Amino acid sequence: MRFGIPFLTTISISPTPSKTLSPFLRCRLLSALSAAASPSLMAASEDSLRQALAEKQTAIDARAEAVRAIKARPGASKEEIDAAVEALKALKVEHGAAARRLQAAVSSNGDGSSKEAFRQAVVNTLERRLFYIPSFKIYRGVAGLYDYGPPGCAVKSNVLAFWRHHFVLEENMLEVDCPCVTPEIVLKASGHVDKFTDLMVKDEKTGTCYRADHLLKDYCKGKLEKDLTLSSEKAAEFKHVIAVLDDLSAEELGAKLKEYDIRAPDTGNPLSDPYPFNLMFQTSIGPSGLLPGYMRPETAQGIFVNFKDLYYYNGNKLPFAAAQIGQAFRNEISPRQGLLRVREFTLAEIEHFVDPEDKSHPKFVDVANLEFLMFPREDQLSGQPAKTMILGEAVSKGTINNETLGYFMGRVYLFLTHLGIDKDRLRFRQHLPNEMAHYAADCWDAEIECSYGWIECVGIADRSAYDLRAHSYKSGVLLVAHEKFTEPREVEKLVITPSKKELGLAFKGSQKMVVEALEAMGEKEALEMKKALEDKGEVEFQVCPLGKLVVLKKNMVSISVEKKKEHQRVFTPSVIEPSFGIGRIIYCLFEHSFYTRPSKSEEEQLNVFRFPPLVAPIKCTVFPLIKTQLFDEVAKLIAKSLTAAGISHIIDITGTSIGKRYARTDEIGVPFAITVDSTTSVTIRERDSKEQIRVSIDEVASVVKEVTDGQSTWADVLWRYPTHAAPHADE
Amino acid sequence: MRFGIPFLTTISISPTPSKTLSPFLRCRLLSALSAAASPSLMAASEDSLRQALAEKQTAIDARAEAVRAIKARPGASKEEIDAAVEALKALKVEHGAAARRLQAAVSSNGDGSSKEAFRQAVVNTLERRLFYIPSFKIYRGVAGLYDYGPPGCAVKSNVLAFWRHHFVLEENMLEVDCPCVTPEIVLKASGHVDKFTDLMVKDEKTGTCYRADHLLKDYCKGKLEKDLTLSSEKAAEFKHVIAVLDDLSAEELGAKLKEYDIRAPDTGNPLSDPYPFNLMFQTSIGPSGLLPGYMRPETAQGIFVNFKDLYYYNGNKLPFAAAQIGQAFRNEISPRQGLLRVREFTLAEIEHFVDPEDKSHPKFVDVANLEFLMFPREDQLSGQPAKTMILGEAVSKGTINNETLGYFMGRVYLFLTHLGIDKDRLRFRQHLPNEMAHYAADCWDAEIECSYGWIECVGIADRSAYDLRAHSYKSGVLLVAHEKFTEPREVEKLVITPSKKELGLAFKGSQKMVVEALEAMGEKEALEMKKALEDKGEVEFQVCPLGKLVVLKKNMVSISVEKKKEHQRVFTPSVIEPSFGIGRIIYCLFEHSFYTRPSKSEEEQLNVFRFPPLVAPIKCTVFPLIKTQLFDEVAKLIAKSLTAAGISHIIDITGTSIGKRYARTDEIGVPFAITVDSTTSVTIRERDSKEQIRVSIDEVASVVKEVTDGQSTWADVLWRYPTHAAPHADE
């Protein structure tokens, strides 16, 4: 078992520090895992190609030796020599072909270069049209920090508005808004202060820092992709290293770096041993310097610490969900992959609190019939690909742990596809046992495929009672729920009675924490302790707030099972946490929405973002067909009515050709263009189909509102209004 | 002249570090300034009261002496003694009355205690109903950090949505979204690293930190309010200290603290000398520790550094405005005043870039007829109160510097009053010359009166070209605009020709910066330099990026005025900056919206927030009148139709009395309540009037949508539907 911390979800650590913790898992891009999805097939063909290449090499070596021997032999005929050389040449040609076949097979993906080219086209458009801007560009920027420029910012605020509607409003969630600056004690309780680290190495001469796992992975991938003389055994070894990369301890990583003699990529200097670097931005609260703080690495903790108040606000009833949208911060060692791995980002998180004994969901029926790509852990382990499953069946078969988790998976699927994410490039991947924290009941990531591979964009985890318990421990404030019984129930109840006197003598100032830890024991743990005390007279006991094991003697605590009448049940709720990386979703959306089409003259390719109206940064443009005062005035009148209707728009009276104006706005994904070609009616053009309808000036704002608000589709209005048969001249 | 930094606006500092900078001005709560608004009247009555009290004391002393003399005189009659004692008693009664009159006059405000009581009632309701929560409460909180709980968070997101609509959408602004983490170089250029400080003193024994000006002010206010024996001269001195508090240097502040023997309030220990404490949260970017960064103290800098790209995005045209909503951070020394002075807050800022030679605004006519409270600097200085003025007149008379500034004042007025801010407790106060940065053309604060006094909530400043110039200097990237002439113009042009050879010899590596600084000189500066070089042969010259004065000789630069044909004008745009403290606006809105009314039984006072529907956290509630399955189902049906219409609502099927359910939701400001009392029609009750109308079930969602979207008012629908005459039983 291991205790990984997925990228988007609340930190997942072991509450028992005695266990060895692996470095946490974060976004797995074309990761070992997915590369290993069908290892047998891949490996087999690659292996035989390597072997074929090695055989050709051997044959060449032998033939070359033969040629040399012939040449050295006195009296060898020219014909004999020529024939031997020709045979050698033919072998070399065959070797070249074999090398190319192997090269193609080992390249990280067959269409790698076309993916790169596609990404470059998208990113060029995004940067040129200011969807985003490297932050502080005039000062040469800072790695991992990006601004959203005007269209990017509008897309983001549309995505967030829809998120609020789809989750907060529809599910009556309690939205909160907590500060980013967080005192250390909170992140100590959550485990981030101690465990939220990546392993780092330093160039021993220049001090430049690198992520240790990145260097090792790059080395192995480089070898696999570029060294065609690699033996099958060596290739298998490198693949294994990549597969287990996330599980390696600092020592193991260090040993591998040494073994492969991996050096600083920029200088070739030797590297330090790997050591953990905490990824939180540290600061100090107040002027005294005595209150350390951090910029929160996630928004979830703000909800957990407010559980008591929120439970009260909800009328002391379960289940309920709290939600938060806000900035989070991770001081990455060396950010890569553009907008996907950044140092500051927007998270939208939901913490749905449920009774651990009842994880059903009343609205599950609404999503039970959805079908989408799932990738259960069994299929990952057996090398099967992701497959389409019906959500209701996945829950009833137990593939998905419970209804509430399943319900959120369904809601997340609807959210993402509604935004414009391609459903065929969206899958829900279940965490493998070694990725999941030991307390987690189940965990699925919504992964979206883009040019970087499958990207974790939403994590949906059933985290059981871990977080609330951790804060109860640390703060001393009980974060629990109550179920009042209509009639008192007779229950077998575990009674834990710490002897304060004996504990006080043994532990002095720490007595209180030991008492609390004893009282907070679960039934299983307590019964094991009871047995151990009876059998051996003493037992080791982990007291989390003390951070160590203490030895308890028999006289320090009495544990018994008694029958009692109870009027209520007191328990720590479980939490189901869907956590959305908004920036990642938006980046994937950019890729899924981007396409090119030839200009009318077919001389160039024009860029288009096919954003749905919901997401489009600007809903509509207004163009006078030709530059006249009359048309300009009509255009301004229409712009005014669009503003009144709350529709974002651009009015362009520059007099550039209409085709160019269309192309310019297609490139930022404006779905509708109004062209003023008369004083009574105008045309509305739809971006992707380029179809046009004719609408009277009085109606145009309300028609655009209808199709951008989602009340109607373009198809709906297309038959209600006359189509404009002759598209404007230069379209 | 002084160079203050108002709370909300971009830092205002002198670009010439040789000048003495005063500690900056921030929010002035019941500040010396407004207290000094009508000093003559106040001071006169207080003075005469002090004098009357002193005279009574003198009379008492004399009479007491006389009594003692009579008593000591052998043979004084009992009657004589009694009469003298009676006279003394009468004098003491008069003294008591005089002391009470003085006490009333000197209390910081006459109705101070009722304001306190009102605030306490508001704050109690806000905290109890989770509008906000002290952050990390279970860990005993952190001063100056607050969470918005569910209703507060909803109010905030409504305010921000309206801000986006009112400013970004209606004015076609370019909204951007930049990170909070900011590298030092950016904030060095803006002046924050060097000047964004408050003066702090430390308890010399415990190390506890205090704001030096707070201690001095508290001391003076305490003396004025509580020491009735204060002489008129002393009282005047303390008042003067309060009035000039913000202008005092560290040395002057220290001297005053020493003079009055002010000690640490918590311990009585001596205090250190005052020293500047930088208010930015510091952190470190990346793992090396070599790239210092700060959490931004304002959002404006993110816009300034992007000017070049945004100008390009706008088609290289002026004017245009960029906007940003986001978190900002100030590490206050000792936060006071609840939600008004916090360490992390949401700012919404606009940077409107204009040609400095044309600050007209095409839409000024739309606001020119607005009338509202203005407080021009002349009136403040002459002791007049704020007065209602017509915006158009204030601009045409020159009270407000220019149309664009005036336009934004009008738009801010509309924004705030639309949210529900009481227009009679809203004024626009012009900065006094000593509050404003030397480069600022004009500056007005929208101040809202609440129980803490007049609070600066929006700053609207014409900052001229300062910020863009500062970043041009520091980054080396020109942040300028171009005006292309239709025909070339003959202009007298200043030609500055630095001699690179001579400058290179004199300044070596710094030569480039000297050359750039010379080339960036304004006309006035250059002509002065020309004269000085001709007269004296050398001149001192401030090179900002070098941070020092250099001495230039005549042979190092030639300056002349030549006639030239120019095809364009290149200039640094001016910026007009409306900057909104969202949390402050929301807090004032809470106070302005709060009232109480008796319950039906008149046994208790019920709390109500009269939020307009636009702002209300929840738009509507749904209550079955009595608990039956039938009514519950109707209620759920209505709830579903409300969700579909995007209307936030609460459904309450607890069966509590309807009056209690109304009271509960009035207290969080829900404007409309739907009561299900039949299966065909329901009543809608309006919160403040308690009027009810009867509407069919099919229509109810659309009626509620109409009145919450602002398409109709309650008055509009009131006559369209039958009123429900008999209010529900226990309302």
Side-chain angles (χ1 to χ4, degrees):
Chain A
M1 202 192 320
R2 69 187 295 289
F3 313 92
I5 304 174
F7 177 63
L8 288 167
T9 52
T10 308
I11 197 169
S12 310
I13 56 154
S14 159
T16 50
S18 60
K19 289 183 185 148
T20 309
L21 298 179
S22 318
F24 59 84
L25 281 179
R26 323 246 324 289
C27 167
R28 313 176 141 247
L29 303 176
L30 286 173
S31 71
L33 202 64
S34 44
S38 50
S40 46
L41 202 70
M42 275 292 288
S45 88
E46 192 189 313
D47 250 17
S48 60
L49 287 170
R50 278 195 197 280
Q51 209 170 329
L53 186 66
E55 282 163 12
K56 291 285 171 223
Q57 188 61 51
T58 314
I60 285 175
D61 294 346
R63 177 66 63 184
E65 183 56 35
V67 170
R68 275 192 295 277
I70 293 172
K71 281 180 172 171
R73 203 179 65 210
S77 73
K78 186 175 179 298
E79 288 73 24
E80 198 179 355
I81 293 174
D82 284 354
V85 167
E86 276 311 304
L88 178 59
K89 276 187 186 160
L91 266 180
K92 282 186 175 167
V93 168
E94 285 172 32
H95 179 272
R100 277 192 297 282
R101 278 195 298 276
L102 175 58
Q103 184 66 66
V106 296
S107 289
S108 57
N109 45 57
D111 54 348
S113 63
S114 79
K115 278 190 184 174
E116 284 277 344
F118 174 76
R119 184 195 306 150
Q120 212 45 60
V122 180
V123 165
N124 282 349
T125 310
L126 292 174
E127 282 211 41
R128 189 163 38 76
R129 299 310 303 269
L130 293 203
F131 278 86
Y132 72 90
I133 309 163
S135 300
F136 319 112
K137 199 168 120 181
I138 61 170
Y139 292 102
R140 274 160 235 95
V142 174
L145 294 179
Y146 294 92
D147 301 342
Y148 286 97
C153 189
V155 167
K156 183 180 168 190
S157 89
N158 293 336
V159 168
L160 290 178
F162 179 58
W163 192 89
R164 272 209 176 92
H165 188 281
H166 187 78
F167 292 106
V168 179
L169 181 77
E170 288 216 21
E171 313 284 346
N172 263 305
M173 293 178 179
L174 308 181
E175 191 182 344
V176 299
D177 182 12
C178 308
C180 302
V181 174
T182 306
E184 184 171 57
I185 192 169
V186 173
L187 296 161
K188 193 89 188 168
S190 68
H192 288 87
V193 171
D194 296 323
K195 308 293 173 195
F196 192 63
T197 56
D198 269 350
L199 290 169
M200 180 162 91
V201 289
K202 269 194 179 179
D203 181 318
E204 286 199 338
K205 290 190 180 150
T206 66
T208 307
C209 305
Y210 302 95
R211 257 183 72 171
D213 58 341
H214 280 177
L215 294 188
L216 183 55
K217 186 174 177 182
D218 290 351
Y219 176 84
C220 295
K221 279 187 73 178
K223 277 288 184 188
L224 284 166
E225 288 171 16
K226 284 167 199 151
D227 185 352
L228 301 181
T229 66
L230 222 51
S231 69
S232 294
E233 294 71 37
K234 215 57 193 159
E237 177 186 322
F238 289 138
K239 280 181 192 165
H240 176 74
V241 169
I242 292 176
V244 300
L245 200 60
D246 293 325
D247 289 322
L248 297 181
S249 68
E251 293 69 31
E252 290 164 333
L253 249 170
K256 278 284 162 210
L257 291 174
K258 282 226 157 44
E259 181 187 337
Y260 297 150
D261 191 29
I262 296 173
R263 289 159 170 269
D266 302 326
T267 61
N269 292 333
L271 294 167
S272 72
D273 286 334
Y275 60 97
F277 171 73
N278 194 298
L279 296 177
M280 291 192 293
F281 284 98
Q282 192 170 3
T283 190
S284 180
I285 306 173
S288 70
L290 301 174
L291 183 58
Y294 298 91
M295 302 313 298
R296 63 179 175 195
E298 57 177 25
T299 69
Q301 302 305 325
I303 295 176
F304 295 136
V305 300
N306 280 328
F307 171 78
K308 205 177 162 180
D309 278 340
L310 293 171
Y311 179 57
Y312 166 79
Y313 187 85
N314 200 51
N316 291 329
K317 282 195 185 60
L318 284 185
F320 73 90
Q324 181 166 201
I325 297 172
Q327 293 303 89
F329 303 82
R330 296 191 183 179
N331 197 8
E332 297 287 348
I333 293 170
S334 51
R336 310 204 268 191
Q337 295 158 335
L339 293 177
L340 293 178
R341 173 66 48 102
V342 292
R343 286 179 165 150
E344 181 176 337
F345 47 93
T346 301
L347 282 182
E349 297 192 294
I350 295 166
E351 307 298 330
H352 181 92
F353 298 100
V354 287
D355 185 337
E357 291 177 12
D358 178 12
K359 293 182 180 174
S360 66
H361 196 291
K363 288 163 76 181
F364 184 71
V365 288
D366 298 351
V367 296
N369 292 327
L370 289 175
E371 282 181 69
F372 48 82
L373 272 180
M374 296 188 209
F375 201 9
R377 66 171 71 97
E378 289 70 29
D379 293 351
Q380 296 171 52
L381 293 171
S382 65
Q384 301 300 308
K387 64 187 174 212
T388 300
M389 293 174 78
I390 296 171
L391 185 54
E393 285 179 12
V395 170
S396 62
K397 279 184 191 161
T399 308
I400 296 169
N401 183 279
N402 59 71
E403 268 192 7
T404 300
L405 196 64
Y407 178 70
F408 279 111
M409 286 170 64
R411 295 290 297 167
V412 168
Y413 171 82
L414 292 173
F415 172 74
L416 293 173
T417 50
H418 207 78
L419 286 181
I421 293 294
D422 176 2
K423 71 179 175 48
D424 297 327
R425 285 183 279 168
L426 167 62
R427 71 180 184 194
F428 287 75
R429 189 181 70 76
Q430 191 172 30
H431 278 204
L432 294 175
N434 71 341
E435 287 179 84
M436 225 163 54
H438 64 107
Y439 49 78
D442 196 3
C443 188
W444 293 75
D445 288 340
E447 295 183 335
I448 305 175
E449 193 184 23
C450 74
S451 66
Y452 291 104
W454 286 97
I455 304 298
E456 176 199 349
C457 290
V458 186
I460 309 154
D462 181 336
R463 298 177 53 78
S464 79
Y466 175 70
D467 308 281
L468 292 181
R469 286 217 177 110
H471 286 295
S472 283
Y473 266 128
K474 191 85 182 171
S475 69
V477 175
L478 275 184
L479 304 177
V480 292
H482 304 258
E483 183 200 359
K484 293 228 159 62
F485 299 143
T486 40
E487 287 185 11
R489 292 185 195 169
E490 179 152 295
V491 288
E492 286 209 329
K493 189 161 166 69
L494 189 76
V495 180
I496 302 171
T497 318
S499 160
K500 293 194 181 168
K501 193 183 143 204
E502 296 296 331
L503 290 168
L505 286 171
F507 303 111
K508 311 220 163 60
S510 314
Q511 178 229 20
K512 190 164 162 266
M513 286 184 228
V514 179
V515 169
E516 286 174 354
L518 282 170
E519 287 170 347
M521 274 192 296
E523 185 169 328
K524 190 164 161 276
E525 201 185 348
L527 292 178
E528 281 171 10
M529 180 183 283
K530 180 182 165 69
K531 192 166 179 312
L533 285 174
E534 280 160 9
D535 292 355
K536 300 180 210 153
E538 65 173 50
V539 69
E540 285 200 327
F541 179 55
Q542 177 67 37
V543 182
C544 284
L546 285 178
K548 64 174 184 186
L549 287 168
V550 300
V551 175
L552 295 181
K553 300 244 157 62
K554 209 174 170 180
N555 61 352
M556 292 178 184
V557 58
S558 108
I559 298 170
S560 58
V561 177
E562 292 174 11
K563 286 199 174 173
K564 269 198 162 184
K565 284 221 166 181
E566 293 225 319
H567 298 265
Q568 64 172 1
R569 201 180 119 231
V570 180
F571 59 95
T572 305
S574 282
V575 65
I576 288 163
E577 177 190 79
S579 174
F580 300 69
I582 297 298
R584 290 184 166 194
I585 293 171
I586 290 174
Y587 178 77
C588 292
L589 185 59
F590 287 155
E591 280 205 7
H592 287 203
S593 305
F594 184 82
Y595 67 98
T596 58
R597 59 185 174 198
S599 65
K600 205 193 167 204
S601 63
E602 304 212 337
E603 278 170 2
E604 49 175 342
Q605 285 291 312
L606 302 174
N607 304 316
V608 189
F609 282 107
R610 67 164 84 73
F611 299 129
L614 175 79
V615 165
I618 306 278
K619 307 303 179 198
C620 169
T621 51
V622 189
F623 302 147
L625 180 60
I626 45 169
K627 192 153 181 52
T628 71
Q629 206 193 331
L630 206 60
F631 284 3
D632 281 5
E633 268 160 29
V634 173
K636 282 177 190 167
L637 209 73
I638 292 172
K640 216 165 182 177
S641 65
L642 291 169
T643 300
I647 299 164
S648 60
H649 59 277
I650 297 174
I651 171 166
D652 182 346
I653 54 173
T654 54
T656 319
S657 84
I658 200 79
K660 278 202 181 135
R661 280 184 279 174
Y662 284 151
R664 228 187 251 164
T665 57
D666 289 348
E667 205 179 36
I668 57 168
V670 180
F672 304 105
I674 297 168
T675 302
V676 179
D677 57 359
S678 88
T679 55
T680 50
S681 74
V682 295
T683 65
I684 304 180
R685 167 209 188 244
E686 196 273 335
R687 175 194 59 214
D688 299 302
S689 64
K690 298 193 207 170
E691 290 160 342
Q692 297 190 41
I693 55 172
R694 181 160 292 282
V695 179
S696 82
I697 284 168
D698 304 336
E699 273 181 285
V700 66
S702 69
V703 172
V704 173
K705 191 170 172 59
E706 238 183 284
V707 287
T708 53
D709 271 9
Q711 295 159 260
S712 307
T713 63
W714 177 252
D716 294 334
V717 296
L718 196 55
W719 67 262
R720 265 172 37 209
Y721 294 92
T723 51
H724 181 70
H728 292 299
D730 54 356
E731 159 83 312
Chain B
M1 204 191 320
R2 69 188 293 290
F3 313 94
I5 304 174
F7 177 63
L8 288 167
T9 52
T10 307
I11 198 169
S12 308
I13 56 152
S14 160
T16 50
S18 60
K19 286 181 188 153
T20 310
L21 297 180
S22 319
F24 59 82
L25 282 178
R26 318 231 346 279
C27 167
R28 315 176 139 246
L29 304 176
L30 288 174
S31 71
L33 201 65
S34 43
S38 50
S40 46
L41 200 70
M42 274 293 289
S45 88
E46 192 189 312
D47 251 16
S48 60
L49 287 171
R50 278 196 196 279
Q51 210 170 330
L53 186 67
E55 280 164 12
K56 290 286 170 222
Q57 188 61 51
T58 313
I60 286 174
D61 293 347
R63 177 64 64 182
E65 183 56 35
V67 170
R68 272 192 297 278
I70 292 171
K71 281 180 174 174
R73 202 178 66 211
S77 72
K78 187 176 180 294
E79 288 75 23
E80 200 181 356
I81 293 174
D82 283 356
V85 167
E86 278 310 306
L88 179 58
K89 276 187 186 160
L91 266 179
K92 282 187 176 167
V93 169
E94 285 172 31
H95 179 272
R100 277 191 298 281
R101 279 194 298 276
L102 175 58
Q103 184 66 66
V106 296
S107 288
S108 59
N109 44 57
D111 54 349
S113 64
S114 78
K115 277 190 183 173
E116 285 277 345
F118 173 77
R119 184 195 307 150
Q120 212 45 60
V122 180
V123 165
N124 283 348
T125 310
L126 291 174
E127 281 211 43
R128 190 162 38 75
R129 300 310 303 270
L130 292 203
F131 278 86
Y132 71 89
I133 309 163
S135 300
F136 318 112
K137 199 168 121 181
I138 61 170
Y139 292 102
R140 276 160 232 97
V142 175
L145 293 179
Y146 293 92
D147 300 343
Y148 286 97
C153 188
V155 166
K156 183 180 167 189
S157 91
N158 293 336
V159 167
L160 290 178
F162 179 58
W163 192 90
R164 271 209 177 92
H165 188 281
H166 187 79
F167 292 105
V168 179
L169 181 77
E170 288 215 20
E171 313 285 345
N172 263 306
M173 292 177 179
L174 309 181
E175 191 181 345
V176 300
D177 183 11
C178 309
C180 302
V181 174
T182 307
E184 184 171 55
I185 192 168
V186 174
L187 297 161
K188 192 90 187 166
S190 68
H192 287 87
V193 171
D194 296 323
K195 308 293 173 196
F196 192 63
T197 55
D198 269 349
L199 290 169
M200 179 161 93
V201 289
K202 269 195 180 179
D203 182 319
E204 287 200 337
K205 289 188 182 153
T206 66
T208 308
C209 304
Y210 302 95
R211 256 183 73 170
D213 58 341
H214 280 177
L215 294 188
L216 183 55
K217 186 176 179 183
D218 290 351
Y219 175 84
C220 296
K221 279 187 72 177
K223 277 288 185 188
L224 284 167
E225 287 171 18
K226 282 167 200 151
D227 185 351
L228 301 181
T229 67
L230 221 54
S231 69
S232 294
E233 294 72 35
K234 214 59 193 159
E237 178 186 322
F238 289 138
K239 280 181 192 165
H240 176 73
V241 169
I242 293 177
V244 300
L245 200 61
D246 293 325
D247 289 321
L248 297 181
S249 69
E251 292 69 31
E252 288 164 335
L253 248 171
K256 278 285 162 207
L257 292 174
K258 282 227 158 45
E259 182 187 337
Y260 298 149
D261 192 29
I262 295 173
R263 287 159 171 270
D266 302 326
T267 61
N269 291 333
L271 294 167
S272 72
D273 286 332
Y275 60 98
F277 171 74
N278 193 299
L279 296 176
M280 291 192 293
F281 285 97
Q282 193 172 2
T283 190
S284 181
I285 305 173
S288 70
L290 300 174
L291 183 57
Y294 299 90
M295 302 313 297
R296 63 179 174 194
E298 56 175 27
T299 69
Q301 302 306 324
I303 296 176
F304 294 136
V305 300
N306 279 327
F307 172 79
K308 204 176 161 180
D309 278 340
L310 294 171
Y311 179 59
Y312 166 79
Y313 187 84
N314 200 53
N316 292 329
K317 281 196 185 61
L318 284 186
F320 73 89
Q324 181 166 201
I325 297 172
Q327 293 303 88
F329 303 81
R330 295 191 183 179
N331 197 8
E332 297 286 347
I333 293 170
S334 50
R336 310 204 270 192
Q337 296 160 334
L339 292 178
L340 293 178
R341 174 65 48 102
V342 292
R343 285 178 165 151
E344 182 176 338
F345 46 94
T346 302
L347 282 183
E349 298 192 293
I350 295 165
E351 308 297 330
H352 181 93
F353 297 100
V354 287
D355 185 337
E357 291 176 13
D358 178 12
K359 293 181 179 174
S360 65
H361 197 290
K363 285 162 77 181
F364 184 71
V365 288
D366 298 350
V367 296
N369 292 327
L370 289 175
E371 281 181 69
F372 48 82
L373 272 180
M374 294 188 210
F375 202 8
R377 66 169 71 97
E378 289 69 30
D379 292 352
Q380 296 170 53
L381 292 171
S382 65
Q384 302 299 308
K387 64 188 175 211
T388 300
M389 294 174 77
I390 297 170
L391 185 54
E393 286 179 14
V395 170
S396 62
K397 279 183 190 158
T399 308
I400 297 169
N401 184 279
N402 59 71
E403 268 191 7
T404 300
L405 196 63
Y407 178 71
F408 278 111
M409 287 171 62
R411 294 291 295 167
V412 168
Y413 171 82
L414 292 173
F415 173 73
L416 293 173
T417 51
H418 207 77
L419 286 180
I421 293 294
D422 176 4
K423 71 178 175 49
D424 297 327
R425 285 183 279 169
L426 167 62
R427 71 181 185 195
F428 288 75
R429 190 181 70 75
Q430 191 172 30
H431 278 204
L432 294 175
N434 71 341
E435 287 178 84
M436 226 163 54
H438 66 106
Y439 49 77
D442 196 4
C443 188
W444 294 74
D445 288 340
E447 295 184 333
I448 305 176
E449 194 184 22
C450 73
S451 66
Y452 290 104
W454 286 97
I455 304 297
E456 177 198 348
C457 290
V458 187
I460 309 154
D462 182 336
R463 298 178 52 80
S464 79
Y466 176 70
D467 308 281
L468 292 181
R469 284 215 178 111
H471 286 296
S472 283
Y473 266 128
K474 190 85 182 173
S475 69
V477 176
L478 275 184
L479 304 177
V480 292
H482 304 259
E483 183 199 0
K484 292 228 159 62
F485 300 142
T486 39
E487 288 185 11
R489 292 186 196 168
E490 179 151 296
V491 288
E492 287 210 326
K493 190 160 167 67
L494 189 76
V495 180
I496 302 173
T497 318
S499 160
K500 293 193 179 166
K501 192 185 145 204
E502 298 296 332
L503 291 167
L505 286 170
F507 302 110
K508 310 220 163 58
S510 315
Q511 177 227 21
K512 190 165 163 266
M513 287 185 228
V514 179
V515 168
E516 283 174 357
L518 281 170
E519 286 171 346
M521 273 192 297
E523 185 167 329
K524 191 162 160 276
E525 202 185 348
L527 291 178
E528 280 170 11
M529 179 183 282
K530 179 183 166 69
K531 194 168 178 309
L533 285 174
E534 281 162 8
D535 293 354
K536 300 179 209 153
E538 65 173 48
V539 71
E540 286 200 325
F541 179 56
Q542 176 67 36
V543 181
C544 284
L546 285 177
K548 65 174 184 186
L549 288 168
V550 300
V551 175
L552 295 181
K553 300 243 156 64
K554 210 174 169 179
N555 62 350
M556 293 177 184
V557 58
S558 108
I559 298 169
S560 58
V561 177
E562 294 174 10
K563 288 202 172 169
K564 268 199 161 182
K565 283 222 168 182
E566 292 227 318
H567 297 265
Q568 63 172 2
R569 202 180 118 230
V570 180
F571 59 95
T572 305
S574 282
V575 65
I576 288 163
E577 177 190 79
S579 174
F580 299 70
I582 297 299
R584 290 185 166 194
I585 293 170
I586 290 174
Y587 178 77
C588 292
L589 185 59
F590 287 154
E591 280 205 6
H592 287 204
S593 304
F594 185 81
Y595 67 97
T596 59
R597 60 185 174 199
S599 65
K600 204 195 165 203
S601 63
E602 303 213 337
E603 278 169 3
E604 51 175 341
Q605 286 290 313
L606 302 175
N607 303 316
V608 189
F609 281 107
R610 67 163 83 74
F611 299 129
L614 175 79
V615 166
I618 306 279
K619 308 302 181 199
C620 169
T621 50
V622 189
F623 302 148
L625 180 60
I626 46 170
K627 193 150 179 58
T628 70
Q629 206 192 330
L630 206 60
F631 284 4
D632 282 5
E633 268 161 28
V634 174
K636 283 177 190 167
L637 210 73
I638 292 172
K640 216 165 181 177
S641 65
L642 291 169
T643 301
I647 299 165
S648 60
H649 59 277
I650 298 174
I651 173 166
D652 183 346
I653 54 172
T654 53
T656 320
S657 85
I658 200 80
K660 279 203 180 133
R661 280 184 278 173
Y662 283 151
R664 227 187 252 165
T665 57
D666 290 347
E667 205 179 34
I668 57 168
V670 180
F672 303 105
I674 296 168
T675 302
V676 179
D677 57 359
S678 89
T679 55
T680 51
S681 75
V682 296
T683 66
I684 305 180
R685 169 209 186 243
E686 195 273 335
R687 175 193 59 214
D688 299 302
S689 64
K690 299 192 205 169
E691 290 160 342
Q692 298 189 39
I693 54 172
R694 181 160 292 282
V695 179
S696 82
I697 284 169
D698 304 336
E699 272 181 285
V700 66
S702 71
V703 172
V704 173
K705 192 171 171 58
E706 238 184 284
V707 287
T708 52
D709 271 9
Q711 295 159 262
S712 307
T713 63
W714 177 252
D716 294 336
V717 296
L718 196 55
W719 67 262
R720 264 171 38 206
Y721 294 93
T723 52
H724 181 69
H728 293 299
D730 55 357
E731 160 83 310

